[in-house]
Amino acid sequence: MPALESTAGADRPATPIRVRRMRFRYDALPLERHYVHGDLVMSHVVAVLSGLFPEGEDFFVRSVRHYADQISDPVLSKAIAGFTGQEVSHGRQHRELNDRLQQMRYPTGRVDRRTRNGLARLERWSVPRYRLAVTAALEHYTATLAETLLTDPDARELLGDSEVRSVLLWHALEESEHKAVAFDTYRAVGGTERMRIAAMVITTFGFLGTVTWHTTLSMLADRASYHPVRLARSIAALRHSPFLTRSVMRRLRDYLRVGFHPGDHDNTVLLDEWVPRLFGEQGSLADRLA
């Protein structure tokens, strides 16, 4: 197949995608069972999401790299290389985090296995371009949640001061840096708006259903879930979650708009703030760089 030129996002400045090798201190995680500010439901939700990430990141990489040698645009090719490096690093770090969460009695191993099996079925039953559309859709989810974490102090407050917070801030920054790569690759290889939007609708049901199912199973195995007052308070707190606001929902739905591009939600100022805040000379994560 001939090399393809990319016109997606051609009028937008390229965001540098740097691959950072990290060393987190997972042994420093608190022994407190509910590590997300003591919140019952959110502790299980975050553990489930972390359990989904390693196999999910590997799937994203395979979906994008399938077309890498067909892209002739040097800017997009460089972005794909950066995307691949960042996602591989995310998967590696979340596997280590998941081992620690498993020790804390969260079912990250089971979530990982089920995710691997589910994605294997998707790869058997679908064409490469649809898998790339699914990747672009899920990247919109991760970028939206990531930028919510970086912009909303209440979202960061939920994570307290644990190493989980450090991992998620790093992950959020890099998701923001490469949020348009899968999308631009999809456009460059001739992906249609109809498939892109359909993939988002289907993926939304699958993603939310998967997270809800695994979170429910995880909570059923937690004795604290059977304390009615604590459970009720934690569920009630979800109504005020910074990740479930109307603005977040509007941004997620914006993906369904014909002509949408991730760059429509400009994050230049956000990255200019957070790159030095995390990795500058006095950055809070500078000592985690390998």
Side-chain angles (χ1 to χ4, degrees):
M1 190 171 179
L4 298 164
E5 292 288 350
S6 170
T7 58
D11 58 338
R12 308 175 194 275
T15 300
I17 301 176
R18 177 185 172 190
V19 180
R20 303 172 181 89
R21 307 300 181 187
M22 307 297 293
R23 291 177 181 166
F24 290 101
R25 302 161 184 161
Y26 298 105
D27 57 349
L29 281 171
L31 294 177
E32 181 184 359
R33 175 77 162 97
H34 304 106
Y35 56 95
V36 180
H37 223 44
D39 187 272
L40 174 63
V41 175
M42 284 303 298
S43 295
H44 285 274
V45 169
V46 172
V48 166
L49 290 174
S50 186
L52 293 171
F53 281 139
E55 291 296 331
E57 307 284 14
D58 288 351
F59 170 80
F60 296 167
V61 168
R62 291 193 299 273
S63 298
V64 172
R65 290 185 68 180
H66 178 85
Y67 290 102
D69 62 354
Q70 299 174 26
I71 303 296
S72 63
D73 177 2
V75 174
L76 182 54
S77 292
K78 185 176 180 180
I80 289 172
F83 168 88
T84 299
Q86 286 189 341
E87 295 290 54
V88 168
S89 185
H90 296 171
R92 182 182 303 118
Q93 290 301 324
H94 276 281
R95 283 188 172 90
E96 293 186 22
L97 173 59
N98 290 343
D99 288 344
R100 183 67 180 93
L101 291 171
Q102 186 77 38
Q103 293 171 7
M104 296 167 66
R105 305 192 304 283
Y106 290 96
T108 49
R110 182 183 67 207
V111 174
D112 182 78
R113 290 190 299 274
R114 297 283 178 84
T115 303
R116 180 170 61 250
N117 293 338
L119 291 175
R121 288 193 295 272
L122 176 61
E123 289 183 288
R124 286 197 301 270
W125 298 342
S126 63
V127 298
R129 191 169 295 170
Y130 179 75
R131 298 197 292 271
L132 185 56
V134 170
T135 296
L138 287 170
E139 284 287 294
H140 181 62
Y141 265 98
T142 56
T144 299
L145 296 177
E147 292 179 7
T148 300
L149 179 63
L150 296 178
T151 55
D152 193 328
D154 290 338
R156 297 193 296 277
E157 178 67 21
L158 283 175
L159 301 178
D161 296 318
S162 74
E163 196 73 346
V164 173
R165 174 191 174 106
S166 298
V167 174
L168 293 182
L169 285 175
W170 159 70
H171 194 161
L173 174 71
E174 296 195 345
E175 288 296 328
S176 298
E177 288 177 332
H178 70 232
K179 68 178 182 177
V181 175
F183 189 101
D184 285 345
T185 304
Y186 175 77
R187 284 242 183 116
V189 300
T192 65
E193 289 288 84
R194 178 174 293 182
M195 178 182 282
R196 176 182 71 79
I197 292 171
M200 180 58 160
V201 173
I202 295 168
T203 299
T204 293
F205 283 104
F207 175 66
L208 296 181
T210 296
V211 172
T212 301
W213 173 250
H214 283 301
T215 299
T216 301
L217 291 180
S218 183
M219 291 183 63
L220 287 172
D222 184 346
R223 293 177 60 183
S225 300
Y226 298 91
H227 190 294
V229 174
R230 184 173 184 184
L231 178 61
R233 286 176 177 170
S234 185
I235 292 174
L238 287 175
R239 295 176 56 192
H240 307 289
S241 171
F243 296 104
L244 297 176
T245 63
R246 290 182 180 179
S247 63
V248 170
M249 296 303 109
R250 282 196 299 269
R251 178 165 172 181
L252 289 172
R253 288 196 300 270
D254 194 33
Y255 192 90
L256 302 177
R257 172 172 52 84
V258 174
F260 168 85
H261 186 276
D264 295 340
H265 299 275
D266 183 38
N267 62 2
T268 306
V269 173
L270 188 67
L271 293 176
D272 287 345
E273 173 190 353
W274 277 95
V275 170
R277 189 166 171 177
L278 294 180
F279 296 107
E281 195 170 307
Q282 304 297 323
S284 61
L285 299 184
D287 62 337
R288 310 296 205 283
L289 285 168

